[in-house]
Amino acid sequence: MQADPLASDRFRDLGVRTDPDGGVLRVASATATSMDLCLLSERDPSWIERTVRMQRDDDGIWSARSALLTPGRRYAIRAGGPDGPRDAFDRSRQLLDPYARGIVRIDQDSWRSVVVDDRFDWGDVGKPNTPLAESVVYEAHAKGLTKQLRSVPRAIRGTYAGLAHESTVAYLQDLGVTAVELLPVHQFASEQRLMKQGLVNYWGYNTVGFFAPHAQYASLTAQSAGPQQVLDEFKGMVKHLHAAGIEVWLDVVYNHTAEEGPAGPVQSFRGLDNSTYYRQIDGRYVDTTGCGNSLDCSQEQVRRLVHDSVRYWAEEVRIDGFRFDLAVTLGRDEHIVFTPDAPLLQELRADPALRDVKLIAEPWDIGLGGWQTGGFPAGWSEWNDRYRDTVRDFWLTDTVVTRNGGLARTGIGALANELSGSSWHFSAERGPLASVNFITAHDGFTLADLTSYNAKHNLGNGESNRDGTDNNRSFNFGTEGATRVERVLADRRRAMRNLLGTMLLSAGVPMLLAGDELGRTQRGNNNAYCQDAAVNWIGWNLQEWQEELHDVVRRLIRIRREHPALRPSVYAGEGTATAMHWFTADGVAMDEGAWTAPENRTLQYLAQAGGDTTLLVVHGDETRMRAALPEHPGVREFELLWTSADDGAAGLRSAPGEPIEIDGPTLLLYAGS
């Protein structure tokens, strides 16, 4: 058995560890000169019942033991230290333990740590361990997914328990997704600016503590019972999803904290060791996140905090995957330069305890050199924004251009690269599974809005429509927003099917935004981070077209599952079991002219893996045309599995060389035999 790389170093066992004689608190601070453990009253969370002086060892680890440090006990830390430009000590403040596994809020800016018991009855339920090549990810908000789901009892709608409810689980199983990726569920707070405006941080990218679940997503019963019950409800959610074969991935925010800029609230890290936790130059924060501060992962103490948090959620809470927000910040060295060799990125992937855990990077931040798609090390996957932009351009913005008499700007070659695993962006060593393919995500337009709005409509966010990107690569097909014009509605729905079909039939790891399978709208808001309201919650009162769209997604996921040719784990090439062949509309092999001609909007993509053969026909133009299916050794017949033009047309059989009619922008998928 390989030794645990974290078992014996100086940062071991930070936070509270309980035993029959009470508990021990260990806190890291390289710069503090004094530290106290404050044991708090059960009735008044600000009243200190007992203070225990903490002792510092030679490695800068402060510790204290108390027989009262048992599950359910509230506690805080006070720290003193130098008064330099890089420091922020104040011995009067009661601070959170950075490793607190239970957290309660006592007022707008004040939080208290709570000791919890990590024991939980998992029964015989284990992790699904779904191979990455078979994964279909569903990005969802823990509250928004079930807040309006009537089949869930009212008392637990919008909660961890609601997500674990049998009707929610049955829906996810029936849809066919293999993993739910939850927007941040570490305990978070709303920014001071939002609270002054009467708004909230709905998305949750503003972490208070990295080891405790966000209490406000638990049922009221659990919240009333305290952090222990909140944690148990969260674990129960994971257990129920795992029992159904569905993995749980977390969107995690280790790049900054809720302490904001230097004038922000002092809750934990700033008051304990501001000089170490936050990246600074001469006492000025270096902000590569746009959130007021950046955690300095060039510091061993900070890297260990992140690593321990990931370990805790993976081992104690049995989380299956992590999507790291603004992950470039995590890979910046002491010179603030990103490198794929950054210790944290390498250590997480090399940790035997995380061997089967999926690690996904959001490969950008706002600092110098912040766009790093394709730049992360082997063993990591990445959100592929190049995929998103190319697919949107092909099906949407190019349509705007051609309707105005111009030539499409996105060549068929660029789309082919994304369909086949994005080899232009990722090395052969990493392969197509390095790419998490998405058309939409929480940040930006929903799929329905992508095809209904040319511009953002964010006035409800309180920033005079200045927030949110203007580079949406969207198309409203002739009318901005809601309409009853049948031609416009038909074009939008065809476009949604083409976008979804492209994503679910591409090599790589597909990620579906929750609600896109139902045509959910945010009424043109492309930055609804501060809207905890129906505009952000999935609506379940469906019109007929929405039910049809749901069935399309369900069918495409099933087709993907049944055909390994659609989900290769390596790029096609000599010595691999994966093969790809490319043909023109006439069924002949593509030549250089066909790849680069801007007027060429039609492609046939034949993929083979494990004895399975599929043919994807792409026609990206609003014209009617005739194509000929290609001839290929070993293929005697093609059976139509699905087409975006007619959901009921499956089953039609055609011979190689046989002509087919294509009317308008269309995808057709065949199985070869």
Side-chain angles (χ1 to χ4, degrees), residues 182-196:
L182 296 177
L183 268 67
V185 293
H186 290 166
Q187 183 64 58
F188 65 84
S190 295
E191 293 86 343
Q192 294 177 314
R193 174 185 61 82
L194 288 177
M195 289 188 286
K196 289 176 182 177

Side-chain angles (χ1 to χ4, degrees), residues 454-473:
N454 284 350
K456 65 188 181 186
H457 296 264
N458 295 357
L459 286 174
N461 297 348
E463 298 183 48
S464 301
N465 210 41
R466 293 188 300 269
D467 64 303
T469 183
D470 292 310
N471 185 22
N472 294 294
R473 292 177 159 89

Side-chain angles (χ1 to χ4, degrees), residues 406-556:
L407 286 174
R409 298 165 185 167
T410 304
I412 201 73
L415 182 71
N417 174 67
E418 309 304 346
L419 285 170
S420 58
S422 302
S423 61
W424 292 358
H425 319 316
F426 301 102
S427 66
E429 176 191 14
R430 299 179 67 193
L433 299 183
S435 177
V436 174
N437 300 330
F438 66 105
I439 306 299
T440 56
H442 67 275
D443 187 2
F445 280 145
T446 66
L447 182 70
D449 289 355
L450 191 66
T451 61
S452 301
Y453 294 90
N454 284 350
K456 65 188 181 186
H457 296 264
N458 295 357
L459 286 174
N461 297 348
E463 298 183 48
S464 301
N465 210 41
R466 293 188 300 269
D467 64 303
T469 183
D470 292 310
N471 185 22
N472 294 294
R473 292 177 159 89
S474 61
F475 182 36
N476 65 19
F477 289 90
T479 302
E480 187 76 352
T483 183
R484 294 183 179 178
V485 178
E486 287 299 327
R487 181 67 260 171
V488 173
L489 292 174
D491 286 347
R492 289 176 177 178
R493 292 166 190 172
R494 172 80 71 95
M496 283 191 274
R497 294 194 297 272
N498 283 329
L499 290 162
L500 288 166
T502 301
M503 180 181 72
L504 290 168
L505 302 176
S506 292
V509 182
M511 186 188 76
L512 177 70
L513 174 63
D516 273 358
E517 76 278 16
L518 307 174
R520 184 179 77 88
T521 178
Q522 291 176 177
R523 300 197 293 273
N525 192 325
N526 75 349
N527 189 37
Y529 74 103
C530 57
Q531 303 290 330
D532 188 0
V535 70
N536 248 333
W537 306 333
I538 294 179
W540 298 92
N541 295 323
L542 306 181
Q543 299 178 35
E544 183 179 355
W545 73 268
Q546 292 175 292
E547 293 176 347
E548 291 171 351
L549 185 64
H550 169 270
D551 290 343
V552 166
V553 175
R554 183 171 170 268
R555 181 183 306 177
L556 286 168

Side-chain angles (χ1 to χ4, degrees), residues 297-316:
C297 290
S298 71
Q299 300 281 351
E300 184 182 2
Q301 178 176 310
V302 181
R303 294 198 302 273
R304 184 56 184 268
L305 171 77
V306 176
H307 198 152
D308 282 343
S309 173
V310 173
R311 268 266 198 111
Y312 170 73
W313 289 93
E315 294 188 314
E316 296 293 337

Side-chain angles (χ1 to χ4, degrees), residues 558-605:
R558 174 180 56 80
I559 289 171
R560 181 181 184 87
R561 182 170 60 247
E562 294 173 350
H563 290 275
L566 297 171
R567 41 184 175 82
S569 57
V570 296
Y571 293 128
E574 187 176 350
T576 73
T578 299
M580 297 176 183
H581 305 275
W582 307 92
F583 304 93
T584 67
D586 296 327
V588 300
M590 296 279 287
D591 59 18
E592 185 64 25
W595 281 118
T596 58
E599 66 274 11
N600 181 20
R601 302 284 292 168
T602 308
L603 174 78
Q604 301 192 69
Y605 161 41

Side-chain angles (χ1 to χ4, degrees), residues 142-222:
K143 180 176 182 177
L145 181 60
T146 66
K147 183 62 178 175
Q148 300 187 104
L149 186 54
R150 293 181 180 177
S151 58
V152 171
R154 185 180 298 274
I156 60 171
R157 291 177 193 166
T159 70
Y160 302 130
L163 184 48
H165 189 264
E166 59 184 6
S167 64
T168 313
V169 175
Y171 175 81
L172 297 170
Q173 278 186 307
D174 179 71
L175 186 61
V177 297
T178 68
V180 174
E181 180 178 303
L182 296 177
L183 268 67
V185 293
H186 290 166
Q187 183 64 58
F188 65 84
S190 295
E191 293 86 343
Q192 294 177 314
R193 174 185 61 82
L194 288 177
M195 289 188 286
K196 289 176 182 177
Q197 293 177 278
L199 298 171
V200 298
N201 187 322
Y202 174 75
W203 285 351
Y205 292 88
N206 202 43
T207 307
V208 171
F210 296 115
F211 291 80
H214 188 64
Q216 288 67 40
Y217 290 161
S219 63
L220 288 178
T221 299

